[in-house]
Amino acid sequence: QVQFVESGGGLVQPGGSLRLSCAASGSIFSIYAMGWYRQAPGKQRELVAFSTGGSTGYADSVKGRFTISRDNAKNTVFLQMNSLKPEDTAVYYCFANDFKRDYWGQGTQVTVSS
């Protein structure tokens, strides 16, 4: 089994910042990629950002505002979210891929509202 500990979600005003973190543990080795998806009410889940061994990628809607980083020694991924907008409101899900399959966290709520 693989366990995830996600933290950092919450309520923030437009223009504010949050930092999400996600630590993977258990039966997962040689993680290739880690990242974040999000799902807003009534919408499909969308890829927000990912990090592989040598590259990162972002959804167009978050480029220039969000930054993903990893601590490979701790199987942990972070998402620094700046200049948050109401449309960033969603449940954010951490994932990890070990070359065989994806593993998912339980999700953390991010709400951007005044």
Side-chain angles (χ1 to χ4, degrees), residues 54-103:
S55 66
T56 59
Y58 299 91
D60 287 342
S61 58
V62 307
K63 283 181 181 176
R65 300 188 298 120
F66 290 11
T67 303
I68 190 169
S69 59
R70 282 172 64 175
D71 182 339
N72 292 324
K74 297 182 178 179
N75 286 344
T76 299
V77 64
F78 306 95
L79 187 68
Q80 178 66 43
M81 305 185 294
N82 298 329
S83 302
L84 283 161
K85 304 175 181 180
E87 50 263 44
D88 294 318
T89 295
V91 178
Y92 284 69
Y93 297 90
C94 167
F95 76 91
N97 179 281
D98 64 354
F99 296 95
K100 296 179 181 179
R101 56 162 289 185
D102 290 336
Y103 300 87

Side-chain angles (χ1 to χ4, degrees), residues 4-83:
F4 291 87
V5 177
E6 297 181 2
S7 63
L11 172 65
V12 64
Q13 291 186 342
S17 298
L18 286 174
R19 186 176 189 244
L20 305 182
S21 65
C22 171
S25 63
S27 301
I28 185 167
F29 306 97
S30 300
I31 293 178
Y32 166 64
M34 295 189 78
W36 299 87
Y37 277 77
R38 69 185 179 187
Q39 187 166 21
K43 295 188 177 181
Q44 290 188 331
R45 189 175 293 193
E46 65 169 342
L47 178 63
V48 176
F50 69 90
S51 172
T52 65
S55 66
T56 59
Y58 299 91
D60 287 342
S61 58
V62 307
K63 283 181 181 176
R65 300 188 298 120
F66 290 11
T67 303
I68 190 169
S69 59
R70 282 172 64 175
D71 182 339
N72 292 324
K74 297 182 178 179
N75 286 344
T76 299
V77 64
F78 306 95
L79 187 68
Q80 178 66 43
M81 305 185 294
N82 298 329
S83 302

